Amino acid sequence: MTLFGCAFKTELGYAAVRFNEHHEITGFLLPSSTQKSHDFLAWTEHKSFPQLEKAVVGYFAGKKTDFRKFSVSPADTSPFFQKVYAALRQVKYGETVTYKELAKKSGNPSAVRAVGSAMAHNPIPLIIPCHRVIQSDGGLGGFSAGGGVDLKKMMIDMEHPPAPPTANKKRAG
């Protein structure tokens, strides 16, 4: 199978994507100053993916973006991880899910640690939105993608803008 790839600039730096001839995403590199897209894209043929590029650039510019329209094909994943990723892709922009809830949605309510492992090994962060998975107590949990927990917090905060001020404030007398 031939893999293609490209890197493109976002407001946070360069992101990169790998995909196959069917435009199924096989890997994604979040923008981060600590990662090198040229290493990530080694052994791929250069080809643009303008629809995804536009969506990712828009996302990091603060636009509400739905990545579920893009097909994914995470390589070398177990059947359980595939179930976890499929369930996670149903979590919409602005929503979060706990590791425990995701284990239940994946058909194995006791597999909370395995869900954490699936998140840590997610080859397609953002498109498979592992940043939306949080702990039952509301804590962020980990984030092994480039940028770490700080990037996870930024992405969650970006998807949860503060509520507008209440218009029904009582006027002082």
Side-chain angles (χ1 to χ4, degrees):
M1 176 181 296
T2 303
L3 288 178
F4 303 96
C6 64
F8 48 89
K9 190 172 184 177
T10 73
E11 290 196 14
L12 295 181
Y14 282 89
V17 61
R18 276 191 311 245
F19 54 98
N20 63 28
E21 64 269 11
H22 306 292
H23 278 83
E24 296 170 324
I25 301 165
T26 62
F28 186 78
L29 186 64
L30 288 165
S32 171
S33 61
T34 62
Q35 296 176 321
K36 297 180 180 171
S37 61
H38 62 79
D39 292 339
F40 177 78
L41 295 174
W43 308 105
T44 65
E45 293 184 31
H46 180 75
K47 183 177 179 182
S48 66
F49 196 157
Q51 302 90 343
L52 181 66
E53 179 178 342
K54 181 178 178 182
V56 172
V57 169
Y59 177 86
F60 285 108
K63 295 180 182 165
K64 183 177 178 179
T65 307
D66 185 355
F67 290 102
R68 294 177 297 168
K69 64 185 173 187
F70 297 101
S71 297
V72 297
S73 183
D76 301 324
T77 58
S78 71
F80 178 71
F81 279 22
Q82 290 177 19
K83 286 180 184 177
V84 171
Y85 297 151
L88 180 55
R89 291 205 71 208
Q90 299 312 305
V91 178
K92 296 176 183 171
Y93 183 99
E95 297 178 356
T96 56
V97 64
T98 67
Y99 292 94
K100 186 175 184 176
E101 291 168 335
L102 192 53
K104 184 184 268 187
K105 289 179 183 200
S106 301
N108 193 342
S110 64
V112 176
R113 287 181 185 250
V115 166
S117 182
M119 297 304 96
H121 292 93
N122 178 5
I124 312 172
L126 182 60
I127 316 306
I128 299 175
C130 53
H131 65 281
R132 296 181 185 150
V133 183
I134 60 171
Q135 297 174 332
S136 294
D137 65 3
L140 292 178
F143 196 59
S144 60
V149 176
D150 290 339
L151 180 59
K152 180 176 184 173
K153 180 176 180 0
M154 186 215 70
M155 292 166 74
I156 289 174
D157 290 348
M158 187 173 64
E159 292 184 18
H160 294 85
T166 307
N168 296 328
K169 290 184 179 178
K170 292 185 179 181
R171 294 182 184 194

